[in-house]
Amino acid sequence: MIWDKVAGIYDIFANLYNSKVHEVLCKKINSMITNQDIVLECACGTGMLSLGVASRCKKLIATDISKNMLKKARKKCKAYTNAEFCEADILHLNYPDKNFTKVIAANVIHLLDDPYKALKELERVCSVKGKIIIPTYMNTKTSNKKRGLANLLGKKGSIFKIEFTYDSYRRFFFDAGYKNTEYSLIEGRVPCAVAVITKE
């Protein structure tokens, strides 16, 4: 699995190459979390977002399909007894309906064969009036020239199913029927768009 292979170097990308984007992203996500929140994080990776979320929420369940990514995330968050790390597939979440007040899925939608199915699963497990938070790297410029991240991970064997621009990202959610959605864009070496859906 590609993500098991890159787990050891992923933090270099997060902490050095794209550090300014990730610093702003972490602050933005943290500002949405309260001490009453029960949070599900899908595709948690090495725990870049998990650490801040665990420090603020009542309960965090962080999931990923990569054992190596989970190992790093678990170690990063070992001080937090309210955080649990589990192997899980975002397309088949083994959690009850309306179980989480916040659901986070960062940098995974563009990698999936069926991203709309993933959105429905995220919506299913989110409570009414809860928020589904979906940050995603913008992998193409308006000119459709690939950005460095897509090129780098493409060489490692990762397959980007969708290479979003900010406009096409917003259109993706609109076409999926999510009208009650707020968007923001964090500029940087590899920009990150954040979609926040309030479940009705």
Side-chain angles (χ1 to χ4, degrees):
M1 182 190 294
I2 175 62
W3 300 109
D4 278 339
K5 293 177 182 177
V6 303
I9 62 169
Y10 191 82
D11 282 347
I12 295 173
F13 166 74
N15 298 331
L16 296 176
Y17 183 80
N18 213 35
S19 60
K20 290 182 179 178
V21 168
H22 290 139
E23 182 180 346
V24 174
L25 177 60
C26 287
K27 287 179 180 177
K28 182 180 286 288
I29 299 301
N30 291 347
S31 72
M32 300 182 206
I33 307 299
T34 75
N35 61 8
Q36 296 302 307
D37 279 322
I38 300 172
V39 181
L40 174 67
E41 182 185 3
C42 297
C44 69
T46 61
M48 177 187 74
L49 296 178
S50 311
L51 186 61
V53 171
S55 73
R56 298 176 66 87
C57 72
K58 182 177 182 179
K59 172 72 176 177
L60 167 66
I61 297 178
T63 69
D64 204 284
I65 59 170
S66 166
K67 288 183 173 70
N68 290 350
M69 289 283 194
L70 284 170
K71 184 178 178 181
K72 284 188 163 290
R74 194 176 288 114
K75 183 177 180 181
K76 202 173 284 185
C77 299
K78 63 183 179 182
Y80 296 101
T81 58
N82 62 330
E84 176 184 339
F85 293 85
C86 310
E87 237 184 297
D89 179 354
I90 192 173
L91 297 175
H92 306 282
L93 296 172
N94 191 25
Y95 300 106
D97 295 357
K98 304 175 184 177
N99 198 54
F100 301 94
T101 57
K102 302 284 167 58
V103 178
I104 303 168
N107 301 314
V108 64
I109 290 295
H110 59 299
L111 303 174
L112 302 174
D113 286 318
D114 194 348
Y116 291 117
K117 182 177 180 180
L119 288 179
K120 288 301 180 186
E121 273 292 87
L122 299 176
E123 181 183 3
R124 179 184 67 78
V125 300
C126 185
S127 61
V128 176
K129 304 297 183 185
K131 293 188 182 298
I132 305 164
I133 305 164
I134 309 178
T136 302
Y137 295 128
M138 301 294 95
N139 291 317
T140 63
K141 301 178 182 179
T142 304
S143 65
N144 289 326
K145 181 180 177 183
K146 287 187 180 181
R147 292 189 183 273
L149 179 67
N151 284 332
L152 173 65
L153 292 180
K155 291 174 184 176
K156 290 284 187 180
S158 175
I159 300 173
F160 285 71
K161 306 298 182 181
I162 310 171
E163 294 176 359
F164 286 114
T165 64
Y166 187 46
D167 287 341
S168 69
Y169 193 58
R170 289 181 293 177
R171 190 164 58 251
F172 167 79
F173 289 99
F174 185 84
D175 290 347
Y178 295 100
K179 307 299 191 289
N180 193 15
T181 306
E182 297 177 4
Y183 304 95
S184 58
L185 179 65
I186 304 169
E187 292 283 8
R189 281 183 167 176
V190 183
C192 185
V194 183
V196 181
I197 302 166
T198 300
K199 183 173 175 179
E200 299 175 337

